[in-house]
Each structure stands twice: as structure tokens, then as C-alpha cells.
Amino acid sequence: MAPIAAALVRSQSRLSSSLSAVSNRYSCISLFPSTNPTAGFTACLPSPAGARHFHDWRFPLSHRAAVRSSAAVADRFERRFATAATQNSYEGILTPLAKPGGGEFGKYYSLPALNDPRIDRLPFSIRILLESAIRNCDEFQVSEKDVEKIIEWESSAPKQVEIPFKPARVLLQDFTGVPAVVDLACMRDAMNKLGSDSNKINPLVPVDLVIDHSVQVDVARSENAVQANMELEFQRNKERFAFLKWGSNAFHNMLVVPPGSGIVHQVNLEYLGRVVFNSGGILYPDSVVGTDSHTTMIDGLGVAGWGVGGIEAEAAMLGQPMSMVLPGVVGFKLSGKLTNGVTATDLVLTVTQMLRKHGVVGKFVEFYGEGMSELPLADRATIANMSPEYGATMGFFPVDHVTLQYLKLTGRSDETVAMIESYLRANKMFVDHSQAQAERVYSSYLELNLEEVEPCVSGPKRPHDRVPLKEMKEDWQSCLDNKSGFKVSSLHLLLLA
């Protein structure tokens, strides 16, 4: 456990240094509750030069004693802070969602109850941001002004305004997830040293950690290859796996998926993706940020998700909103149906080329049109997975009957699927291809007839240079004198020979 122990020591040292820096700068006027009934908590002011600080050895109270003696003040401040941060400005639109056979699934913040025609024109991806802002509106982290910015998306998005966003959950893989769990462990250790309850340190949103980046293939072409590789994997990563297993048992709201279960994005699609959360009787759309750039694959399931850095993910774990620029949304209309012999790869390369040419960096891409009804979820997930390649924050496919079929196929219960459909229909987030769709507004538009997609080749040297298969021979010959070299590798040429 030497590396993890060393990491714990370094984190504790940083924490102690931070505490010393703060205490050097501030000197508390009083460590005890004020007799003034209007005073909410003890005031602290910058210390003049030469002042005596509460951490000074000459001061009669040590660090721990000072913290304990001010417990009453801290409790009063915590109660006042909690009260201020739990009063939602939109409690009036909290609506029960009835079950088809009687009873109710729970309650939800109803967007139609706002009776605002601007919401009907919003893209589905922006409605997810809007619902999150309404549900978390406490006038502290999220305000009514933030909600209004999102409702006024048509005019506010071009102005590059910032909004807070609180994702429903966080997705980690084992490499980037370990530092986050180490930091939580260090926070618990600090709580212990301060004489407080370390069990209070937990992620505030569900955290799913999938162990899939430790795989190495040492044994192949034998019946016991999988078992042999798994045994070697556990031997090499014993310390890390043991630490992560401790974290899964020690922390609430944390799920660790063991090795050998599949890649993180596959597990996210088939098992972890909720589509709609039911937490404490409150229903809301699933959304996720992950520490992997291809977290966007989940967008094919109708779950808003994208990759972020470790600091952002850890802040989201601790309940902090992400500050993000309200993005523009590119509407990508699909029509027709893929012809025989055309694969999802051909479609993805075509879509990627179109989006790179259009320019979608920092934007959402939302797919719509009757062609969606003919597109399997596997193809949708493949397109969404390529978001980092075409530069968009996410490539989003709203939930429709294809999504519901996939949820049933992957083992979600009938009751869960019924809850998902009922909620999304009630909150106007479901696409029913058998009905006329209300017109939605996008920042810009693209259109692709799926029948025009043809077999093609691209990469790996320059994956953005798509070459139709029928033009492969002529293109290769033209590249002989090209200074930038060949667009595709010799391997592709051999496969085509």
C-alpha cells in the first residue's frame, strides 16, 4: 500500500499547509457565540502584523480545542446555511406522476406547468439543462436568473452567457477515479483529526466507477485466456483494487464495477444509464459527466453526458455546480434509411466529416427527423461516441421508442421503462415519431439523407479525410505526388486489394 499511503501523506500535508495559511491570515475575534441575537456567526478579520493567532503555541487553545469550542457556532451557521440552500423557488410546479394502474411513480418539476411558450421551442438537450436548473434552484448555487437565461436560450446562447449545471451523476474509470477516492479518504482522515464524524464525508451525487483501464492481454488463443489474463490483472493491481473496494464499502453513493465486466462505455449504456432518476420520490432526467472523453456514447441513449477533467468531476461529486457557457445547438436532421451493405462506420465517417466542416466545437449537436426511427441504438451510440472527433460537447439523440426497446433488451424492468416513458412524455422530452412534432429552434441546421450514405474508408493517419470506397483506387494514385502523404494506411489498401 506504499504508493497510496504516500498519496495520503502528501494530501494531508497540503491540507495542513492550507489550514496554516488561513490561520496566519485570519484571527477570530471570538470563538464563542455572540450575545447579539442578530449575529449569525463569529466574525473573522485579517490579522494585523504581530497579532496572536489561535494556532500559536502561546494561545491557550490548540487547533482541536478551538474547533471543538466553536462547535455551537458552526452548528448554528450550518443550520442557517442549510435552510437558505433548500428553499426551491419552483416548488409550485412539483407535480405527481400517476401510474397507469393506480398510485404514482413520484413527483417531478413540470416544465409544461410554467406555461411558457418559449420552452416548447427549446431543443431537448437544452430542456435537460433547464430542468436541472429548476430542480436545483436555491438562490444560492442556482438562481432564478440562471433559469431565465436558459428559457431565453434563443437570445442568450449567442451572447456566451454562463450558467451553473449540476449533473445527476459522475462516471469514473479506474485510472482517473483513484485520485478522487484518495481525496475523499484524506477528507475523512482530516475529519477524524478534528474530532468530528468522518462518515459525513461522502459523494453528494451517485458516483459509478468502472474498472476497465487495467486490462493487458498476456495470454491469447487458448481456452483459459480470459481467466489467465484476469488473474494477472488482479496480481498487478492488487493494491489499487483493494483500495477501490474499500471505497465502495466505505462511501455512500459510490458503486464500483469490478474488472472483467466490460469497457466503461458499454457498462454505462447497458447497466448504469438510468435515463430517468427516481431519487427519494423525485423524478428527473439522467445526466452525467465522466473522466473519459468518450463518455458521450451515452448521448445515444438520450442521457446528456460528456467528458470533463478530474477536478470538475470531483467538484460535481461534492455537489458543486459546473459553470458552463450556455451552448449553441446544431440541429442535424436525418431522413431516409441506410441501404444494404452500408455500415454504422460508413455513417459515422460521413456525419463526422459534415460536422467538422460545419464547425461544432463547444456546441451540442441534436439529431432529429424521421430517419431517427430507422436508426438502431447501436448506430446512435457509435455516432455519439465520435463527439470528440467532430469537436462537439455532445451528439444527442432524444429518447423515443427505439430507446425504450433497447432498455428492455438490456434487462431494465417493465415498470422502470414505463416510468421513464411516462415521465418524459409528461415533461415533453419524448419523441413520438407517429405524431406531428412541435417545431424546435436550433442555432444552425444540417441535413443528411441516410440513403445517400455509401461505403467509405478513413484514417488512421488522417481520419477526417473520408474517401468513398469506389474512389479508393483513383485517390490512392493521386496521393502518390501529394506532399501531405496518403490519407489511409497501407493496411487499408491491402484489405481492399
Side-chain angles (χ1 to χ4, degrees):
M1 300 290 283
I4 290 186
L8 288 170
V9 170
R10 286 194 299 269
S11 295
Q12 291 168 12
S13 176
R14 288 195 299 268
L15 180 61
S16 298
S17 299
S18 299
L19 285 173
S20 297
V22 171
S23 60
N24 280 327
R25 185 176 178 184
Y26 291 89
S27 176
C28 289
I29 294 174
S30 172
L31 293 173
F32 302 95
S34 171
T35 55
N36 183 356
T38 62
F41 51 87
T42 306
C44 291
L45 297 175
S47 302
R52 296 169 64 182
H53 310 294
F54 68 89
H55 70 284
D56 197 323
W57 67 271
R58 291 168 295 182
F59 195 75
L61 295 176
S62 65
H63 275 309
R64 188 176 302 176
V67 172
R68 286 175 176 170
S69 65
S70 61
V73 181
D75 288 343
R76 182 189 301 177
F77 175 74
E78 184 176 352
R79 286 195 300 271
R80 184 168 296 190
F81 176 83
T83 302
T86 54
Q87 295 175 346
N88 193 301
S89 305
Y90 292 90
E91 292 290 341
I93 63 171
L94 202 56
T95 307
L97 182 66
K99 287 184 177 181
E104 64 179 45
F105 289 111
K107 295 182 178 181
Y108 68 101
Y109 288 90
S110 173
L111 300 185
L114 292 174
N115 294 319
D116 194 323
R118 294 174 296 176
I119 296 177
D120 295 332
R121 295 168 57 84
L122 292 178
F124 288 107
S125 51
I126 298 299
R127 295 182 196 185
I128 293 177
L129 301 182
L130 174 62
E131 190 281 337
S132 175
I134 289 174
R135 175 167 38 88
N136 294 291
C137 184
D138 56 5
E139 294 300 334
F140 182 72
Q141 293 181 326
V142 183
S143 68
E144 289 189 57
K145 291 182 179 179
D146 297 318
V147 174
E148 181 61 27
K149 288 178 186 177
I150 302 175
I151 294 177
E152 195 60 33
W153 170 82
E154 284 186 62
S155 60
S156 57
K159 300 176 184 176
Q160 298 284 293
V161 299
E162 288 192 13
I163 61 166
F165 174 60
K166 301 185 75 170
R169 60 188 175 96
V170 175
L171 181 68
L172 308 172
Q173 35 92 341
D174 46 329
F175 275 7
T176 55
V178 169
V181 181
V182 167
D183 286 345
L184 289 174
C186 291
M187 292 171 67
R188 283 201 167 188
D189 190 64
M191 288 286 281
N192 271 329
K193 289 186 175 181
L194 292 173
S196 189
D197 184 7
S198 62
N199 291 324
K200 291 182 178 180
I201 302 297
N202 290 291
L204 295 181
V205 298
V207 177
D208 303 314
L209 191 154
V210 181
I211 301 176
D212 76 329
H213 278 52
S214 306
V215 179
Q216 296 182 38
V217 179
D218 296 273
V219 182
R221 292 180 294 178
S222 65
E223 294 181 357
N224 68 334
V226 174
Q227 182 64 29
N229 285 319
M230 289 291 296
E231 290 176 358
L232 288 171
E233 182 180 354
F234 272 88
Q235 291 174 12
R236 289 173 177 142
N237 301 281
K238 179 180 178 181
E239 178 187 20
R240 189 153 47 92
F241 289 174
F243 177 67
L244 291 175
K245 186 172 183 179
W246 168 83
S248 68
N249 293 324
F251 298 108
H252 301 299
N253 266 347
M254 178 174 286
L255 171 69
V256 176
V257 179
S261 303
I263 65 171
V264 57
H265 310 303
Q266 174 192 355
V267 174
N268 197 22
L269 272 175
E270 298 180 0
Y271 179 70
L272 299 176
R274 281 78 157 177
V275 184
V276 172
F277 265 88
N278 187 346
S279 179
I282 301 296
L283 306 175
Y284 52 93
D286 187 6
S287 58
V288 59
V289 292
T291 54
D292 190 292
S293 60
H294 290 281
T295 301
T296 53
M297 183 182 280
I298 198 66
D299 300 333
L301 194 67
V303 175
W306 57 86
V308 296
I311 298 298
E312 291 174 286
E314 202 164 329
M317 288 168 55
L318 299 175
Q320 295 298 308
M322 296 172 48
S323 180
M324 60 180 289
V325 174
L326 187 61
V329 182
V330 178
F332 200 121
K333 185 177 181 179
L334 300 174
S335 59
K337 181 181 179 180
L338 291 175
T339 57
N340 292 332
V342 176
T343 67
T345 302
D346 301 321
L347 173 59
V348 167
L349 293 176
T350 303
V351 169
T352 299
Q353 186 183 50
M354 293 177 64
L355 289 171
R356 285 178 67 97
K357 183 178 180 180
H358 185 77
V360 294
V361 175
K363 299 178 181 178
F364 290 174
V365 176
E366 183 169 303
F367 296 88
Y368 69 102
E370 67 274 11
M372 271 186 56
S373 63
E374 301 292 340
L375 204 58
L377 196 128
D379 293 1
R380 299 180 183 189
T382 306
I383 295 173
N385 183 60
M386 290 289 283
S387 292
E389 279 65 42
Y390 47 78
T393 302
M394 66 175 183
F396 185 73
F397 288 83
V399 177
D400 60 5
H401 71 281
V402 176
T403 314
L404 300 181
Q405 291 171 1
Y406 181 83
L407 292 174
K408 293 179 180 179
L409 178 67
T410 49
R412 274 75 162 193
S413 67
D414 291 339
E415 183 177 1
T416 298
V417 175
M419 177 197 72
I420 292 171
E421 182 177 6
S422 297
Y423 169 81
L424 294 175
R425 285 185 181 275
N427 228 7
K428 293 188 177 181
M429 295 182 180
F430 187 85
V431 178
D432 191 337
H433 298 288
S434 64
Q435 299 178 358
Q437 296 294 310
E439 182 181 357
R440 293 181 298 279
V441 176
Y442 295 101
S443 305
S444 58
Y445 298 83
L446 285 172
E447 185 172 355
L448 174 65
N449 186 344
L450 297 178
E451 296 176 358
E452 297 176 357
V453 178
E454 56 185 347
C456 53
V457 181
S458 181
K461 186 175 181 181
R462 283 152 52 194
H464 51 281
D465 286 330
R466 185 183 67 89
V467 182
L469 198 58
K470 62 184 180 182
E471 300 175 8
M472 190 66 239
K473 182 178 179 180
E474 292 79 5
D475 188 85
W476 179 80
Q477 291 176 341
S478 67
C479 286
L480 288 174
D481 299 326
N482 194 334
K483 292 183 179 180
S484 59
F486 292 100
K487 297 178 182 178
V488 296
S489 68
S490 56
L491 175 61
H492 281 103
L493 300 177
L494 290 173
L495 293 174
L496 294 170

